Amino acid sequence: MTTTEAGGVTGTFSPRPGAAPLPRMIRAQAALETRMLLRNGEQLLLTVIIPTLLLVLFSAVDIIAVPTGTAGGAGRSVDFLAPGVLALAVLSTAFTGQAIATGFERRYGVLKRLAVSPLPRWGLMTAKTCAVLVTEVLQIALLTAVALALGWSPQGSPLTVALLLLLGTAAFSGLGLLMAGTLKAEATLAAANLVFLLLLVGGGVIVPLDKFPEAAQGVLGLLPITALSDGLREVLQHGAGAPWPDLGILAVWAVLGLGAAARFFRWE
């Protein structure tokens, strides 16, 4: 930088003013979103503690009759429960946690301010998705370790499991963002927790689907949580190949949820 005789400034400032490169902005926002998510005690209760307690409790105590077809004893229980609890972890983070957090960010004007920052709106959604994925990796690692300690014997292809989890994340993220972007924050809080409880009971997570009336089984089988838990169970418990019907259901929910969120999401 140089100075002219009239006192003016010429030359180039260093660092140059302006927005950072887009990948760096997304990484920074994703890191911030992840820290905020992991520091929230209520979110940790929902995403980590509740799934872990459910896995330990229902694996150790013979409360629910698990379908036959696997080894008996505690191992049979955990082999049935572990895939369902992994699906529950995706639901709690991608849907319930994200819906509540985004709903209150929208209420307090955080999204409105971020929307006029150099980070584009799709970049903000990408950062939020990355934060969800990082949280899910931590959840799955913890739940897998607990399940293995309880005697879990997973089968099947890890790639198929990863595909199911990714499609489940996309489906629940779309539905969570749709709820957060269309309802008031208080309504989102109540609705997201209610849906979480209903899907926990009726989505084949801990209660086998065949315990419900036949008329209800057909409807429940089309839910994304049922498709995710059943698909994971087919692979991890029975060692099956790709569960195409479940993958198809998740793909449809992902397209519909993300499409509706992109169409109807309101930033203010």
Side-chain angles (χ1 to χ4, degrees):
M1 181 178 69
T2 60
T3 305
T4 64
E5 293 181 358
V9 178
T10 62
T12 303
F13 291 94
S14 180
R16 299 179 62 183
L22 182 58
R24 187 186 303 172
M25 289 192 291
I26 293 177
R27 287 197 302 270
Q29 185 65 32
L32 175 63
E33 297 280 350
T34 304
R35 289 195 299 270
M36 291 174 61
L37 187 61
L38 295 178
R39 290 174 181 174
N40 190 319
E42 294 178 358
Q43 296 300 320
L44 287 178
L45 174 66
L46 183 69
T47 60
V48 176
I49 298 176
I50 290 179
T52 304
L53 288 178
L54 288 174
L55 177 61
V56 173
L57 174 63
F58 286 100
S59 295
V61 181
D62 189 15
I63 298 178
I64 295 175
V66 177
T68 59
T70 57
R76 185 188 69 181
S77 297
V78 74
D79 286 342
F80 173 83
L81 290 167
V85 172
L86 292 179
L88 182 66
V90 174
L91 168 67
S92 65
T93 300
F95 174 73
T96 310
Q98 183 169 222
I100 294 172
T102 305
F104 278 95
E105 286 178 352
R106 177 168 165 260
R107 174 189 177 183
Y108 294 127
V110 175
L111 294 183
K112 179 181 178 181
R113 289 168 174 79
L114 288 174
V116 297
S117 70
L119 181 65
R121 294 183 176 186
W122 68 264
L124 175 60
M125 293 296 102
T126 300
K128 286 183 172 293
T129 302
C130 290
V132 167
L133 291 174
V134 170
T135 305
E136 286 181 359
V137 168
L138 297 176
Q139 283 178 288
I140 292 169
L142 173 62
L143 292 171
T144 299
V146 173
L148 290 174
L150 293 171
W152 185 33
S153 301
Q155 311 294 324
S157 168
L159 293 178
T160 304
V161 172
L163 179 59
L164 283 164
L165 293 173
L166 286 174
L167 280 176
T169 299
F172 287 123
S173 291
L175 295 172
L177 291 173
L178 174 64
M179 180 179 290
T182 55
L183 301 179
K184 292 183 178 180
E186 293 81 3
T188 298
L189 174 63
N193 282 311
L194 177 61
V195 170
F196 175 82
L197 292 175
L198 292 176
L199 294 184
L200 169 62
V201 175
V205 175
I206 57 175
V207 181
L209 204 61
D210 59 12
K211 299 299 180 182
F212 294 91
E214 290 187 6
Q217 291 180 26
V219 176
L220 295 176
L222 297 176
L223 296 176
I225 185 63
T226 308
L228 181 56
S229 59
D230 282 355
L232 290 173
R233 199 166 284 125
E234 285 295 319
V235 178
L236 292 171
Q237 183 180 3
H238 304 297
W244 295 113
D246 296 314
L247 288 170
I249 292 173
L250 290 173
V252 170
W253 277 103
V255 171
L256 293 178
L258 292 172
R263 173 66 179 83
F264 298 108
F265 191 94
R266 298 193 303 268
W267 292 76
E268 323 181 13

